[in-house]
Structure formats: C-alpha cells, structure tokens
Amino acid sequence: MKNTFGQAVALTIFGESHGPAVGAVLDGLAPGLPVDEDYIRRQLARRRPSTALDTARQEQDCYQILSGVYQGRTTGSPLTIVIPNENTRSEDYTYGLARPSHADYAAYCKYHGYEDWRGGGHFSGRLTAPLVFAGGLIIQLLAQRGIRIGARVKSIGNAYDKYIDPAEVSEEILDEIAASDFPSYGDPRAMQKEISDAQTALDSVGGQVECFILGLGAGIGEPMFDGLESRISSAVFAIPAVKGIEFGEGFALTGIRASEANDEFYIADDGTVKTRTNSNGGILGGISTGMPIVFSTAFKPTPSIALKQRTVDLETMTDTDIEIRGRHDPCIAVRAAVCVESAAAIALADLIL
C-alpha cells in the first residue's frame, strides 16, 4: 500500500498540511500493551517549534485516539489517532507556481492537478506529527525489551557537534543529549549561529541528524531486500527533506583501506562477541551484530525561503519568479531528530516482530 509501512506492524499515515487533520493507523500491536500518553506528548513537544529559530506556525497537536486503546492499554485492534490542523494560512500559497525543490511539480505530474497543494499537502512536514505519535508508542514497547533509541543534531551547515565514537555510545551519552534543549552532545552555539545567519539572510541551511540504537541483540534483519539498513532507510526517507543516509562511518569508508575500516572481533567480559571499532554502524550483511546501531541522516535546506527565485507557472506554462510567503523553519534538522527516532523505532518493531 502506497501510504503504509510495515507488515507485522503496519503504519498508515493520512491527511494534508491544511486539511482538517492529519493522523495515523497503527495495526499489528498485541493487546494489553501499556500506552504512556505523557511520554507521547513529550515526544510531540520535541517536534513542535519552540524557539525563534523555528517556524512561526504553532500547532498544539492535541491528538484524539479513536480506537485501539482502552484504559491505558492497547486492545489489539487497529490504533487510530487524529491530530487537528488548527493554525493554517492557506492564503500564503498560490496554485500553479512550482516552488523550487518542493514536491509541487512532481505532485502535479502524478496527480494531474487534483492534489491538495496548500502548504505542501500530503508532502508537508506536518505529516511527521502522526509519525512521532506512532514512534512514541513503539519506542515505549522497545524499551520493555531493553532497546534504547536517541538522536542528536550532528551538524548544521559547516558547524559540527562533538564527535561520538560509534563503538562507545552509552546510555549516559543519550541521557545527556535528551536533557539538552537543543539535541546535541556538545556546545550547540556554533550550529545555532549557522541557523541564525541563514535566517537573517532570508535563507535556510541543511544539517545532519545522527541516531543511535542501544540494546539490540545480534541477528535482527534479513539479507538482501529486508536488511536492517534497508528497512530503516525506507522508513527514514518518509520524512520530508531527507536526501541521504549513511551507517557507521558511511561514505568516509570509501577513502580508507580495509585495514583501517574493518571492525575486529573480540570476546567481551560478559562472554558476548563484540567489535573493537564500529565503522559499519552495528550492521553486517543487513543483520545486527549486537554493537550500537549508528546512522546519520542528511536533511537539505528548507526549500521555502523569502528570497526571489525563478520557477514556472504550471497553469500558463511560462517562466516566472516566485517570492514564497508563509512560516517556515530556517533549518529542518533540529526538529527532525525526534522524527528520525520514530521512523527507526517503527522499522525495528516491524523486523523484530
């Protein structure tokens, strides 16, 4: 199904940016699983704008659970939630003007002009709200199995957060990231300045989000098309503005030799097999090795900027200029960290079950 991810645990996301609501259906959950709504609300709060460096569009994300939960536990039937859109400004958008690097033109070609184009419609980052709700629920269930997921902003523009050795990721490091107002491990001021400078210039800037998964035992994933990397990547690419993903040292491995890149094995004090390094990000052959899963996701600069750009008018099929109005983030990556966690959790749950 085109808007559904997963088989054992299936997630369907519906709605448009300026429609009445967005929502999700999560199917395949066992009955009796606890649902901590306070935790889910905290996860949704991480996705919402919170500083002057975020979009001015404020949505409270006051979701309603329509089915699948009773007295704080799952019932085993499909879990359906809706999140109203309460702060839309459709007048900021003009039909037919294809915004550069948005999905407007591609959607026009596929749906022949019948798509809901307001605010990006079904392609909007607004659709990450139900993703985070579903992810918040799944993260709780994974925690019961001793699996912990956390993400941080690794870089913004040319500014980088403090390096984290992929072989040495710990609960303490994830605790420190989670306690930060800006999801980082070191001093975020250089990254925040990159965002502020882009915002002042009426522009935007891209960034990387690095995600860590701890406590996942060896043997999860399938070779070939259902590999752990493949499934995580598939879920993560559902987040708007994602343009790349790498596991472990990723593309940096292309510039070194195997003698530097190989992760050598050893027997740890607890009798388990570990690797001395983690260049492969905890995955070999599409299957988890028991080392921390580490991957980084590349987010392009927010396409909506206030500077004049060249485009086409799809109604008249003529060249024209566009000056985009509306409320947009000068950097998507910051609020996307919780979205990456959620996508990874959903992919993991589907494979584990």
Side-chain angles (χ1 to χ4, degrees):
M1 290 180 285
K2 297 179 180 62
N3 296 292
T4 299
F5 176 89
Q7 297 177 356
V9 176
L11 173 66
T12 301
I13 290 179
F14 60 85
E16 290 86 24
S17 177
H18 287 204
V22 294
V25 179
L26 190 59
D27 200 2
L29 298 177
L33 301 173
V35 178
D36 184 345
E37 293 193 50
D38 286 338
Y39 176 78
I40 292 173
R41 280 189 281 267
R42 290 196 298 272
Q43 290 292 88
L44 286 168
R46 291 175 57 199
R47 196 203 68 89
R48 286 200 301 275
S50 60
T51 73
L53 299 179
D54 299 321
T55 175
R57 178 178 177 177
Q58 288 286 347
E59 296 280 5
Q60 294 306 307
D61 295 340
C62 297
Y63 64 84
Q64 181 181 7
I65 299 176
L66 301 183
S67 66
V69 177
Y70 181 64
Q71 295 184 337
R73 291 186 178 269
T74 58
T75 64
S77 66
L79 195 161
T80 305
I81 64 111
V82 293
I83 305 174
N85 292 324
E86 300 175 321
N87 187 11
T88 60
R89 238 169 44 187
S90 300
E91 63 272 15
D92 288 337
Y93 300 88
T94 302
Y95 177 71
L97 296 184
R99 296 169 297 167
S101 287
H102 275 280
D104 298 346
Y105 173 65
Y108 176 84
C109 293
K110 182 172 180 64
Y111 301 112
H112 314 295
Y114 292 103
E115 70 280 357
D116 184 343
W117 48 269
R118 301 168 300 168
H122 193 63
F123 300 91
S124 169
R126 179 68 182 142
L127 276 294
T128 60
L131 174 70
V132 169
F133 177 97
L137 176 58
I138 296 296
I139 287 171
Q140 297 176 48
L141 306 182
L142 293 175
Q144 295 177 9
R145 292 173 173 256
I147 299 170
R148 171 87 180 268
I149 302 178
R152 56 103 176 226
V153 177
K154 182 180 181 180
S155 69
I156 300 292
N158 293 312
Y160 280 77
D161 195 16
K162 186 166 63 174
Y163 176 74
I164 297 177
D165 188 328
E168 301 295 333
V169 186
S170 64
E171 294 271 355
E172 290 72 24
I173 289 176
L174 296 192
D175 287 341
E176 186 170 335
I177 294 170
S180 174
D181 292 334
F182 188 97
S184 64
Y185 183 49
D187 187 340
R189 284 178 292 183
M191 293 190 288
Q192 290 172 324
K193 186 176 186 301
E194 289 274 342
I195 301 173
S196 178
D197 289 349
Q199 187 179 50
T200 300
L202 305 181
D203 214 333
S204 66
V205 65
Q208 295 184 66
V209 171
E210 188 172 38
C211 188
F212 310 96
I213 303 171
L214 305 181
L216 183 67
I220 300 299
E222 304 292 337
M224 300 298 289
F225 303 113
D226 277 330
L228 189 50
E229 291 136 320
S230 301
R231 299 303 290 157
I232 289 175
S233 298
S234 179
V236 167
F237 268 102
I239 304 169
V242 170
K243 298 305 292 183
I245 190 168
E246 64 177 4
F247 290 80
E249 299 297 344
F251 289 103
L253 296 176
T254 65
I256 60 178
R257 296 182 176 180
S259 56
E260 302 170 85
N262 287 354
D263 297 319
E264 297 180 334
F265 294 102
Y266 73 100
I267 303 298
D269 293 339
D270 61 3
T272 59
V273 175
K274 301 290 184 185
T275 57
R276 299 184 187 280
T277 54
N278 195 18
S279 297
N280 290 281
I283 304 172
L284 294 171
I287 301 170
S288 62
T289 66
M291 291 294 289
I293 306 297
V294 181
F295 67 91
S296 295
T297 302
F299 286 86
K300 68 181 180 181
T302 312
S304 292
I305 57 176
L307 297 173
K308 181 183 290 187
Q309 301 176 82
R310 291 172 294 182
T311 188
V312 295
D313 187 323
L314 297 174
E315 290 195 291
T316 63
M317 293 306 292
T318 58
D319 292 325
T320 187
D321 293 330
I322 185 172
E323 293 184 70
I324 297 174
R325 296 178 295 168
R327 301 160 294 174
H328 308 285
D329 292 274
C331 181
I332 296 171
V334 180
R335 296 200 293 130
V338 66
C339 304
V340 173
E341 293 174 8
S342 299
I346 291 162
L348 274 185
D350 190 44
L351 281 172
I352 290 171
L353 295 178

